[in-house]
């Protein structure tokens, strides 16, 4: 039993890190397609990822020492199809004419191993039919390919990390796994009758995707600042090539920050009609309050209010925090006052974002100040974007 529980325990330990790693790709994909990921969909998708992780660990764990594997002399593969059936008939106590042998035979390893391989991909067949909407032929093909991946993992000695396979490549496992996926497909209605259909999930996502959440904007912002970081690094290297290194201090650093905001968030957004690279990826755009193309003046107010206030406040907070130890008592009190004031502004800034996320408020403070708004550009099944559907975002 330990050989089954240990891989599952390891999957429980690894899954949070894997889930964290795939969250951003998941969000980007579903923001582009539906405008949101959704709680029910995310639960289904993460359960699928956890299932695949458990299945994979059941195939490769526990990992033996390399020295032990190097001394193995057993067969590396089994290519005799239906050999597992022959072993069951010849190596168990099962006798067709003796009902008393039925139950003891079911407890023997030559029976339990094929059943385990059949059950291993049973959930996979359910997911294939329920969420991925595959046909039975596609499910058979997908199950076979997943099983082949597992078997080749074993045959290669965990991708040649080991000097030889430490588990047997068995063609019968391919048969059992594929059959398990097909059975999962067949019995899928018995396991998902209480779950919303895939079409219901899609429709719910399109409805909720009309709302541009703070998280969706944050993903766009992370992508945008990553683009800015790459361009800034390239410019720095280019200047260094021509021996034009600029002295970096508080003033020049803040100046570069304002220049990046002006060129990218104001300039690029104005030229493209409301989008940046990040906004384009998650399919949102900035418009005027009346839904028309945003003007350059409104963009200057929008991003000047947001990044200008945020940048100045952060720098004031950092500067005063590092200069509180000045010997002059009056200056120290002034620094402390500025520190508390900047901290209060930052807390109000964070509270505004948190309040907008919790109460699903569409417009943030800098949007109200600039009379702009952020809308979703995801196209629904009706072929209308959220703007065309007369939904105020």
């Amino acid at each position: 039993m330990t050989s089954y529980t240990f891989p599952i325990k390891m999957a429980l330990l690894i899954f949070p890190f894997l889930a964290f790693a795939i969250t951003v790709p998941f969000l980007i994909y579903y923001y582009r397609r539906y405008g949101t990921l959704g709680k029910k969909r995310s639960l289904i998708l993460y359960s699928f990822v956890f299932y695949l992780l458990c299945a994979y660990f059941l195939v490769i764990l526990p990992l033996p020492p390399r020295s032990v594997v190097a001394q193995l002399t057993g067969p590396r593969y089994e290519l005799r199809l239906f050999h597992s059936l022959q072993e069951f008939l010849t190596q168990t106590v099962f006798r067709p004419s003796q009902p008393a042998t039925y139950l003891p035979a079911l407890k023997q390893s030559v029976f339990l191993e094929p059943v385990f391989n059949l059950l291993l991909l049973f959930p996979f067949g359910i997911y294939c039919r329920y969420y991925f909407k595959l046909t039975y032929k596609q499910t058979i093909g997908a199950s076979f390919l997943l099983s082949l991946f597992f078997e080749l993992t074993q045959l290669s000695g965990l991708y040649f990390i080991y000097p030889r396979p430490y588990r047997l490549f068995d063609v019968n496992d391919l048969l059992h796994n594929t059959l398990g996926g097909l059975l999962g497909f067949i019995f899928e209605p018995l396991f998902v009758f209480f779950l919303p259909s895939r079409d219901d999930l899609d429709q719910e996502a399109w409805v909720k995707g009309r709302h541009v959440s703070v998280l969706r904007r944050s993903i766009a912002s992370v992508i945008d600042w990553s683009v800015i970081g790459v361009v800034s690094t390239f410019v720095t290297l280019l200047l260094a090539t021509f021996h034009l290194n600029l002295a970096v201090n508080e003033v020049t650093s803040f100046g570069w920050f304002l220049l990046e905001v002006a060129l990218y968030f104001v300039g690029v957004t104005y030229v493209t009609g409301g989008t940046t690279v990040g906004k384009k990826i998650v399919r949102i755009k900035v418009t005027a309050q009346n839904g028309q193309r945003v003007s350059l003046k409104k963009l200057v107010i929008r991003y000047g209010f947001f990044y200008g206030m945020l940048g100045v406040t952060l720098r004031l907070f950092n500067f005063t925090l590092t200069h509180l130890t000045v010997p002059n008592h009056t200056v120290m009190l002034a620094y402390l006052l500025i520190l508390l004031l900047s901290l209060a502004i930052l807390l109000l800034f964070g509270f505004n974002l948190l309040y907008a996320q919790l109460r699903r408020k569409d417009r943030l403070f800098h949007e109200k100040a600039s009379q702009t708004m952020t809308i979703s550009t995801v196209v629904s099944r009706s072929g209308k974007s959220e703007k065309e559907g007369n939904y105020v975002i």
Side-chain angles (χ1 to χ4, degrees):
M1 183 60 70
T2 303
S3 60
Y4 298 115
T5 58
F6 175 71
I8 295 176
K9 290 179 181 178
M10 289 299 299
L12 287 170
L13 292 175
I14 299 297
F15 177 71
F17 301 98
L18 178 61
F20 179 78
I22 64 177
T23 292
V24 172
F26 267 13
L27 287 174
I28 291 176
Y29 174 80
Y30 284 99
Y31 280 153
R32 285 193 58 78
R33 184 160 187 178
Y34 303 105
T36 187
L37 178 57
K39 295 178 181 178
K40 295 176 183 177
R41 189 193 301 275
S42 60
L43 180 62
I44 293 170
L45 286 173
Y46 281 111
S47 69
F48 178 65
V49 172
F50 178 69
Y51 154 71
L52 288 179
L53 185 64
C54 288
Y56 181 70
F57 280 176
L58 284 167
V59 169
I60 68 170
L61 297 180
L63 298 176
R66 294 185 80 255
S67 58
V68 173
V69 175
Q71 297 176 4
L72 295 177
T73 58
R76 296 169 183 255
Y77 46 80
E78 173 58 72
L79 301 179
R80 292 173 293 178
L81 192 61
F82 302 116
H83 181 66
S84 58
L85 177 60
Q86 182 182 356
E87 285 187 324
F88 175 76
L89 295 176
T90 59
Q91 298 183 19
T92 65
V93 297
F94 175 74
R95 298 294 180 270
S97 59
Q98 301 177 20
T101 64
Y102 292 178
L103 185 60
L106 298 181
K107 297 179 181 180
Q108 295 185 277
S109 61
V110 290
F111 172 78
L112 293 176
E113 184 176 343
V115 171
F116 163 77
N117 284 301
L118 188 146
L119 294 177
L120 184 65
L121 263 62
F122 186 87
F124 184 72
I126 296 176
Y127 282 106
C128 284
R129 181 175 179 178
Y130 167 67
Y131 186 78
F132 299 104
K133 302 179 74 171
L134 301 184
T135 65
Y136 79 93
K137 291 182 180 179
Q138 292 171 329
T139 301
I140 291 173
S143 300
F144 176 80
L145 290 176
L146 180 60
S147 177
L148 183 63
F149 167 72
F150 289 156
E151 293 302 312
L152 291 179
T153 296
Q154 295 176 335
L155 182 63
S156 64
L158 197 56
Y159 321 116
F160 307 103
I161 295 176
Y162 288 93
R164 57 152 291 154
Y166 61 91
R167 288 191 177 181
L168 186 69
F169 173 94
D170 194 341
V171 69
N172 293 282
D173 291 347
L174 292 173
L175 175 64
H176 299 147
N177 291 157
T178 304
L179 180 60
L182 177 59
L183 290 176
F185 178 91
I186 294 172
F187 290 101
E188 175 263 353
L190 298 178
F191 292 88
V192 302
F193 68 92
F194 58 91
L195 296 176
S197 68
R198 171 62 188 273
D199 290 336
D200 291 338
L201 290 174
D202 292 346
Q203 186 60 37
E204 180 184 15
W206 270 309
V207 172
K208 292 183 177 181
R210 299 167 186 165
H211 169 78
V212 182
S213 66
V214 173
L215 178 59
R216 190 172 176 183
R217 303 181 199 201
S218 300
I219 296 295
S221 181
V222 169
I223 296 172
D224 285 331
W225 280 106
S226 299
V227 172
I228 292 174
V230 171
V231 174
S232 297
T233 302
F234 175 77
V235 171
T236 302
L237 293 175
L238 187 63
L239 291 175
T241 303
F242 292 98
H243 305 288
L244 297 174
N245 295 327
L246 299 177
V248 178
N249 52 47
E250 285 290 331
V251 176
T252 58
S253 175
F254 186 59
W256 275 110
F257 171 76
L258 292 180
L259 181 63
E260 290 168 345
V261 170
L263 292 177
Y264 188 81
F265 288 102
V266 177
V268 173
T269 304
Y270 178 72
V271 171
T272 59
T275 64
T276 57
V277 174
K279 290 180 175 64
K280 195 75 173 178
I281 289 176
V282 302
R283 302 186 74 172
I284 58 177
K285 68 182 296 185
V286 178
T287 68
Q289 187 171 320
N290 58 5
Q292 300 299 314
R293 182 187 175 99
V294 65
S295 67
L296 182 61
K297 178 183 177 181
K298 292 182 183 298
L299 287 174
V300 171
I301 297 174
R302 175 189 174 95
Y303 290 110
F305 200 83
F306 184 83
Y307 285 112
M309 186 191 73
L310 181 62
V312 170
T313 306
L314 281 173
R315 279 164 173 77
L316 282 176
F317 179 79
N318 182 64
F319 177 81
T320 53
L321 186 64
T322 55
H323 289 77
L324 283 178
T325 56
V326 293
N328 190 308
H329 184 69
T330 303
V331 175
M332 185 190 70
L333 288 178
Y335 280 164
L336 182 60
L337 181 62
I338 295 173
L339 176 70
L340 294 176
L341 180 61
S342 58
L343 178 61
I345 294 175
L346 291 174
L347 289 176
L348 285 174
F349 179 83
F351 174 77
N352 179 259
L353 295 179
L354 181 62
Y355 179 79
Q357 178 68 18
L358 295 177
R359 298 297 300 272
R360 297 179 64 83
K361 296 295 183 181
D362 300 313
R363 301 181 67 199
L364 301 178
F365 65 95
H366 63 294
E367 294 178 310
K368 294 179 180 179
S370 61
Q371 296 184 340
T372 60
M373 62 183 184
T374 305
I375 67 170
S376 173
T377 61
V378 176
V379 178
S380 66
R381 285 183 170 180
S382 62
K384 294 183 178 181
S385 67
E386 309 310 336
K387 177 182 174 183
E388 294 169 339
N390 297 322
Y391 295 106
V392 178
I393 304 300

